[in-house]
Amino acid sequence: MNTSPSTYEAQRLDASKLTYSYTTSPRPVPDEATLASSDETICTDHMIIVSWKAKSGWSAPELKPYGPLSLFPSASCLHYAHECFEGLKAYRGYDGKIRLFRPDCNGRRFKMSAERISLPSIDPEELEKLMVALLSVDSPKWLPKHHAGQFLYVRPTIIGSNAQLAAVAPTEALMYIIVGFMPRMDMPPGGKRLLTSPDDMVRAWVGGFGYAKVGANYGPTVTASQDAYRRGFHQILWLYGENGECTEAGASNFFVLWRRKDGAKELITAPLDDRLILNGVTRRSCLELVRQRLRDVEVTERKFTIGELLEAAEDNRLLESFSAGTAWFICPVSKVQHRDREINIPMGSDGGPGEITATIKGWLEDIMYGRCEHEWGVVVPEKESENCTL
Amino acid sequence: MNTSPSTYEAQRLDASKLTYSYTTSPRPVPDEATLASSDETICTDHMIIVSWKAKSGWSAPELKPYGPLSLFPSASCLHYAHECFEGLKAYRGYDGKIRLFRPDCNGRRFKMSAERISLPSIDPEELEKLMVALLSVDSPKWLPKHHAGQFLYVRPTIIGSNAQLAAVAPTEALMYIIVGFMPRMDMPPGGKRLLTSPDDMVRAWVGGFGYAKVGANYGPTVTASQDAYRRGFHQILWLYGENGECTEAGASNFFVLWRRKDGAKELITAPLDDRLILNGVTRRSCLELVRQRLRDVEVTERKFTIGELLEAAEDNRLLESFSAGTAWFICPVSKVQHRDREINIPMGSDGGPGEITATIKGWLEDIMYGRCEHEWGVVVPEKESENCTL
């Protein structure tokens, strides 16, 4: 949509042109204590970076030592939020292999987000090759085989880098991929507690960009989230419209398992068609697996309101709830606070996730950590040279 | 010094601590041809930069050579749009002096924007002192006295610089001020042509952040703007809600002068109370001056719709229209295209702005360029040392 004729002749992103410059000062892999005490995201030894210009297209990708970027103070990413990203995990399987989970989905969404924010488009398959190339180099050291069941976090990013103080389509951009540590967040003690968004804070709106993974969806939500933290909640449950439709839980998709008034057991989540919410990879995987494997649970994507949630709670029809996303994975929700009303949602008998939530989570973990072979788990071949196992 | 948590006070922004490191490689001031052919914003020799940490507060401001910033790829400004800015002009007056126009208004808005996007707060008065300090050094060379009637553009910016992949309040930030050239945009031949926003593109919404000067308001609008450019328009007229309320024209405020049905001459613009639009400094100045000086024009801030504009056009009640902002200044609007309806708005007899538009513009220019003394025009004392007039 936003490609000028010349862009078609410009060089497309091409992973086969990747060059390698290994670090000469490898850093130590942090231990648990270091990770727990650090506010910063500790990244691996290398990153991949590719520059883009409107006239010439994408340059040859470079794998090089992780380090700071040099950006002019007038770079468009620093003024006009010309930035988009993706988030995936690389899982060290119980079979010793590293896997990505459905990276094709992230790639397609990355392309869509880039186009929405007027950044250059990318070929999702080339992005996947580059992520694999970077993990191939850094995984053996940073997520070694004896760390089965653990993960690294992969963050592809595109930023507008043209030094121009004007809200126009960037004529220069950088795409980069970094890999770092992220804490495990899927088991907060007692379950996740959500606070509904205040009336004067709306995350996204019809006609906006809530469906795209662009920076502009995140920073503006932080004041509301900080208020929720201070009040003892983990995240905001973002409501929308006069009727208080439940949309996202923080930066995760929000699921409720309830018994409908007709007695049917239903797993419900907000729909994609009004483009308010992110089309989550974990979200779609939950929906697909439950539709395939759980015949006694109806799966519904439709608008549902906080009023329906309150009513179901009063009727004792709430069975389980969870948020789904890459960062929080499948995280059971035990409480939703809406104004002065408290909605308590059952957890499992052991204080963990309820039965269906645990089942879905188990299925996904089996794929991610290689307990079962599945097309969604993409194995990353690893280099074992002396360059990358320092 | 007692630095225990209970009594610790983070350092506030303090312009009196400014240090000076002058450039040793001054750059040439670009000529008109260079400016016209450059996509980039050419900046002056120096910038001011101040770093902030949650624990210690603002560091001592530094005036130093203009040049690139070093940011980690995980810096929060590059992922979560933790960024806000201001835009002002420094005017070289016909009396030889440099002036800023109501910088206190920009300072207060900068503070509000920073707080809305979870960046550290600043004292507006200290910001003003820093802008004056930078212009004091760079104006003599970059906007010399024989350039009366011309201006430089001043861009204060705050960005989140903490290297953390998490949508939380930044624990580190940078504030900087840069000064550069911006083209004069207030007289497009034939007047400014606006295209109303398409149904699937909404700039801002009630409960959002349309009133704050944060990056998240700009990047997402560019796809619609680019489409408008391709179709021969200068900017989008952003409509809001089912009734098509007229909100902003591109990144400017939108004014209409019409004859009401009761015969009164009225200058109308969108209101601030629902927080959809930016509280423009030029906007407020127009309103204040017309209220003070034009007794036969009623000034109204209320919601008005594209339907009312169409009706006024049919009744031949449209007198003038202009957009108001720092970048576009007071720019006459000659046309609004809404779907298949074309609204033509009278211009002046000489093809320039209409009578009232020209009057307002003249008043503002008189203040900005020192033709009359006014409290809104803040004179910048200039240094004339050998360091800064290279």
Side-chain angles (χ1 to χ4, degrees):
Chain A
M1 173 182 163
N2 64 340
T3 39
S4 60
S6 61
T7 309
Y8 290 110
E9 297 149 27
Q11 177 62 48
R12 298 175 64 174
L13 181 63
D14 184 351
S16 72
K17 294 188 172 167
L18 179 64
T19 61
Y20 291 80
S21 305
Y22 295 110
T23 184
T24 53
S25 45
R27 283 172 287 115
V29 176
D31 57 21
E32 293 295 324
T34 305
L35 287 172
S37 67
S38 176
D39 265 352
E40 297 198 352
T41 300
I42 297 176
C43 289
T44 61
D45 282 326
H46 301 96
M47 61 183 182
I48 283 179
I49 192 159
V50 202
S51 64
W52 175 89
K53 293 189 178 191
K55 286 183 185 161
S56 50
W58 290 104
S59 67
E62 296 176 82
L63 183 145
K64 56 189 250 187
Y66 178 83
L69 306 174
S70 177
L71 289 169
F72 274 100
S74 51
S76 62
C77 59
L78 304 179
H79 300 267
Y80 307 114
H82 283 297
E83 55 197 56
C84 65
F85 65 91
E86 273 301 322
L88 309 80
K89 286 173 176 167
Y91 306 89
R92 176 61 77 184
Y94 294 102
D95 61 353
K97 294 178 182 168
I98 292 280
R99 282 178 180 77
L100 289 166
F101 182 76
R102 308 188 77 175
D104 55 322
C105 295
N106 296 90
R108 286 194 299 272
R109 192 172 62 188
F110 197 41
K111 173 178 158 66
M112 177 276 291
S113 299
E115 291 169 356
R116 179 64 186 83
I117 201 71
S118 303
L119 286 167
S121 193
I122 58 113
D123 180 338
E125 289 182 18
E126 300 304 304
L127 173 72
E128 183 171 334
K129 288 177 196 163
L130 292 174
M131 291 192 291
V132 165
L134 178 56
L135 288 167
S136 171
V137 170
D138 276 352
S139 295
K141 168 178 166 183
W142 292 84
L143 190 62
K145 291 196 175 175
H146 63 279
H147 283 198
Q150 296 183 29
F151 58 81
L152 290 170
Y153 182 77
V154 184
R155 171 63 60 100
T157 309
I158 308 179
I159 57 174
S161 55
N162 55 315
Q164 186 182 12
L165 297 178
V168 297
T171 51
E172 297 181 19
L174 294 173
M175 185 185 87
Y176 55 86
I177 307 170
I178 55 179
V179 177
F181 289 92
M182 174 174 278
R184 174 156 283 173
M185 305 198 287
D186 58 338
M187 276 308 295
K192 191 191 253 191
R193 296 179 297 278
L194 301 176
L195 178 67
T196 57
S197 48
D199 283 329
D200 62 350
M201 285 278 172
V202 178
R203 189 195 86 96
W205 65 105
V206 173
F209 42 88
Y211 60 98
K213 210 161 177 71
V214 296
N217 277 322
Y218 294 84
T221 69
V222 171
T223 53
S225 301
Q226 296 288 116
D227 185 54
Y229 302 152
R230 275 190 295 269
R231 297 173 59 184
F233 297 89
H234 295 95
Q235 285 190 299
I236 294 282
L237 175 59
W238 292 100
L239 303 182
Y240 184 75
E242 287 182 9
N243 300 321
E245 296 156 24
C246 301
T247 63
E248 288 194 7
S252 309
N253 294 117
F254 178 62
F255 285 78
V256 174
L257 182 78
W258 58 18
R259 205 166 278 287
R260 285 198 319 228
K261 289 181 181 175
D262 67 4
K265 200 186 279 187
E266 182 179 61
L267 182 67
I268 190 166
T269 196
L272 302 177
D273 48 16
D274 58 6
R275 309 189 97 183
L276 278 178
I277 66 164
L278 198 73
N279 182 355
V281 178
T282 315
R283 174 190 181 278
R284 87 163 54 185
S285 303
C286 291
L287 295 173
E288 289 170 22
L289 288 179
V290 175
R291 281 180 176 132
Q292 283 166 18
R293 300 184 184 180
L294 286 181
R295 296 292 165 185
D296 65 329
V297 175
E298 284 198 36
V299 177
T300 303
E301 296 168 75
R302 73 158 168 88
K303 293 179 185 177
F304 66 106
T305 66
I306 189 71
E308 288 180 80
L309 211 59
L310 284 162
E311 191 187 2
E314 280 172 12
D315 298 349
N316 280 319
R317 290 187 284 107
L318 287 183
L319 303 175
E320 301 178 28
S321 173
F322 60 91
S323 71
T326 297
W328 288 83
F329 189 32
I330 302 290
C331 182
V333 172
S334 59
K335 182 169 153 179
V336 175
Q337 179 85 36
H338 178 62
R339 313 297 182 253
D340 59 348
R341 311 262 315 257
E342 191 173 292
I343 303 172
N344 290 297
I345 304 166
M347 298 275 287
S349 53
D350 60 349
E355 183 192 343
I356 302 289
T357 305
T359 300
I360 298 169
K361 190 171 178 176
W363 286 337
L364 291 170
E365 282 175 332
D366 286 349
I367 299 170
M368 291 162 171
Y369 294 104
R371 283 208 189 87
C372 75
E373 282 300 309
H374 194 286
E375 59 180 358
W376 292 350
V378 175
V379 173
V380 174
E382 291 170 86
K383 289 196 177 180
E384 295 284 2
S385 80
E386 60 185 277
N387 278 323
C388 48
T389 54
L390 290 165
Chain B
M1 191 168 86
N2 186 346
T3 55
S4 71
S6 56
T7 58
Y8 190 84
E9 258 189 49
Q11 176 62 49
R12 297 175 66 176
L13 182 63
D14 184 352
S16 73
K17 295 187 171 167
L18 179 65
T19 62
Y20 291 80
S21 305
Y22 296 110
T23 184
T24 53
S25 44
R27 283 172 288 113
V29 176
D31 57 22
E32 293 294 324
T34 304
L35 287 171
S37 67
S38 175
D39 265 352
E40 297 198 351
T41 299
I42 298 175
C43 288
T44 61
D45 282 326
H46 301 96
M47 61 183 182
I48 282 180
I49 191 159
V50 202
S51 64
W52 175 89
K53 294 188 178 191
K55 286 183 185 165
S56 49
W58 290 105
S59 67
E62 296 175 82
L63 183 145
K64 55 189 249 187
Y66 178 84
L69 307 174
S70 176
L71 290 169
F72 274 100
S74 53
S76 63
C77 59
L78 304 178
H79 300 268
Y80 308 114
H82 283 298
E83 57 196 54
C84 65
F85 65 92
E86 273 300 322
L88 311 79
K89 286 174 177 166
Y91 305 89
R92 176 60 78 184
Y94 294 103
D95 61 352
K97 293 178 183 169
I98 292 280
R99 281 178 182 78
L100 289 165
F101 182 78
R102 308 187 78 175
D104 55 322
C105 295
N106 296 90
R108 286 195 299 272
R109 191 171 63 188
F110 197 41
K111 174 177 157 68
M112 177 276 292
S113 299
E115 291 169 356
R116 178 63 187 83
I117 200 70
S118 301
L119 286 167
S121 192
I122 59 112
D123 179 339
E125 289 181 19
E126 300 304 303
L127 174 71
E128 183 171 333
K129 288 177 197 164
L130 292 173
M131 291 193 291
V132 166
L134 179 55
L135 288 168
S136 170
V137 170
D138 276 351
S139 294
K141 168 178 167 183
W142 292 83
L143 190 61
K145 290 195 175 174
H146 63 279
H147 283 198
Q150 296 183 29
F151 58 81
L152 289 169
Y153 181 78
V154 185
R155 171 63 62 100
T157 309
I158 307 179
I159 57 174
S161 54
N162 55 315
Q164 187 183 13
L165 297 178
V168 297
T171 52
E172 297 181 19
L174 294 173
M175 186 186 88
Y176 55 86
I177 307 170
I178 55 177
V179 177
F181 290 93
M182 173 174 279
R184 175 155 282 173
M185 305 198 287
D186 57 340
M187 276 306 297
K192 191 191 251 190
R193 296 179 297 278
L194 301 176
L195 178 66
T196 57
S197 49
D199 283 329
D200 62 350
M201 285 279 172
V202 178
R203 188 194 86 95
W205 67 106
V206 173
F209 42 86
Y211 60 98
K213 210 161 178 71
V214 296
N217 276 322
Y218 293 84
T221 68
V222 171
T223 53
S225 301
Q226 296 287 117
D227 185 53
Y229 301 153
R230 273 191 294 272
R231 295 172 59 186
F233 297 89
H234 295 95
Q235 285 191 300
I236 295 282
L237 176 59
W238 292 99
L239 303 182
Y240 183 75
E242 286 183 10
N243 299 322
E245 295 157 25
C246 301
T247 62
E248 287 195 9
S252 310
N253 293 117
F254 179 61
F255 285 78
V256 174
L257 182 79
W258 60 18
R259 204 167 279 287
R260 283 198 319 230
K261 289 182 182 176
D262 67 4
K265 201 186 277 187
E266 182 179 61
L267 182 67
I268 191 166
T269 196
L272 301 176
D273 49 14
D274 57 6
R275 308 188 99 185
L276 278 178
I277 65 165
L278 198 73
N279 183 354
V281 179
T282 315
R283 173 190 181 279
R284 90 164 53 187
S285 303
C286 291
L287 295 173
E288 290 170 23
L289 289 180
V290 175
R291 281 181 176 132
Q292 284 166 17
R293 300 183 184 180
L294 288 180
R295 296 293 164 183
D296 65 329
V297 175
E298 284 199 34
V299 177
T300 303
E301 297 169 75
R302 73 158 168 89
K303 293 180 186 176
F304 66 105
T305 66
I306 189 70
E308 288 180 80
L309 211 58
L310 284 161
E311 190 187 2
E314 279 172 13
D315 298 350
N316 280 319
R317 291 187 286 107
L318 287 183
L319 302 175
E320 301 179 28
S321 174
F322 60 90
S323 71
T326 297
W328 289 82
F329 190 31
I330 302 291
C331 182
V333 172
S334 58
K335 182 170 153 178
V336 175
Q337 179 84 37
H338 178 61
R339 313 298 181 251
D340 59 349
R341 312 264 312 258
E342 191 174 292
I343 302 173
N344 290 297
I345 303 166
M347 297 275 287
S349 53
D350 60 349
E355 182 191 343
I356 302 289
T357 306
T359 299
I360 298 169
K361 189 170 179 177
W363 287 337
L364 292 170
E365 283 174 333
D366 286 349
I367 299 170
M368 292 161 172
Y369 294 104
R371 283 209 189 88
C372 74
E373 282 301 308
H374 193 283
E375 59 180 358
W376 292 350
V378 175
V379 173
V380 175
E382 291 170 87
K383 289 197 178 180
E384 295 284 3
S385 81
E386 60 185 278
N387 278 321
C388 48
T389 54
L390 289 165

